[in-house]
Amino acid sequence: MRPLRAGIAVALASFAALGAAPPAGATAAVPLPARMADTGGGRQLITAEAPRASATSGTVTWWDRRADGRWAKAGSVTARFGAKGLVEGARRKQGTNTTPTGLYDLPFAFGVKAAPGGTRAAYRRVHRDSWWCQDNASRSYNRWTEPRPADCRASESEHLADYDTQYAYALVVGFNYHRPVHGRGAGIFLHVNGRATTAGCVSVPQDAMRRILAWARPGKAPHIAIGTSGGATAITRY
């Protein structure tokens, strides 16, 4: 693929700024990461794209940036989102069953099962005393805890071992993680599909989750971008 001509690049940027999807012909040969405002600066990217903010399903695709700077698709699969759709990450509220849009890093992986072969990301095995604290009153808010601290109520947290299907394999999404804002939300992951939609995470089939973990390389600084095809939460804005 030849580099974009300046006029095309400017036109695509204008559509992205407006949160609108460019005409199909203008983007047919342009990989999604090449149309985004930011990809995290690394050489790997996961995109989780829904057709609209109210959607509960869409597509997760993982990409590699080649030596020449161009993005190549490594895999793609149907994905599920929150039961109440997607919302701008900075405006999300805990307990709303919405998936936060934005661009995030992937701090570490974890799972009830052993790490798939080829996994290079830091991987924590789930034990009986593994919890994800979601208690807004706790100093451990939005953190893996083992065991659960006294100031983190069990009723306000997830006992990870109870979700042996969804958390067979998972990647922590860096939403509200590094400087947690209490009340914004905790425990947002890319994980294995359950029976239906999620409470705010992004989920994919188990085989796809295994493939993603074997693909991800910490040295390539993988990120995840979550958003919609157009509008205020367009994935191209992140």
Side-chain angles (χ1 to χ4, degrees), residues 100-157:
T101 63
L103 177 68
Y104 306 105
D105 67 351
L106 300 162
F108 63 91
F110 69 90
V112 173
K113 296 184 177 182
T119 299
R120 295 293 180 270
Y123 192 91
R124 296 185 182 181
R125 192 75 182 270
V126 172
H127 302 111
R128 291 307 304 174
D129 57 353
S130 302
W131 292 77
W132 198 274
C133 183
Q134 300 180 354
D135 189 338
N136 277 291
S138 174
R139 290 171 293 179
S140 299
Y141 180 71
N142 202 19
R143 285 291 183 273
W144 172 295
T145 63
E146 198 173 284
R148 179 176 55 83
D151 72 342
C152 184
R153 293 168 292 174
S155 60
E156 297 294 322
S157 303

Side-chain angles (χ1 to χ4, degrees), residues 2 5 11 14 26 39 44 83-84 87 95 105 126-127 140 156-157 170 175 181-182 187 193 197 212 219 234:
R2 290 178 295 180
R5 295 192 302 273
S14 297
T39 57
Q44 288 188 323
K84 297 296 183 181
V87 68
D105 67 351
V126 172
H127 302 111
S140 299
E156 297 294 322
S157 303
F175 165 74
V181 175
H182 291 234
N193 284 339
T197 54
I212 290 169

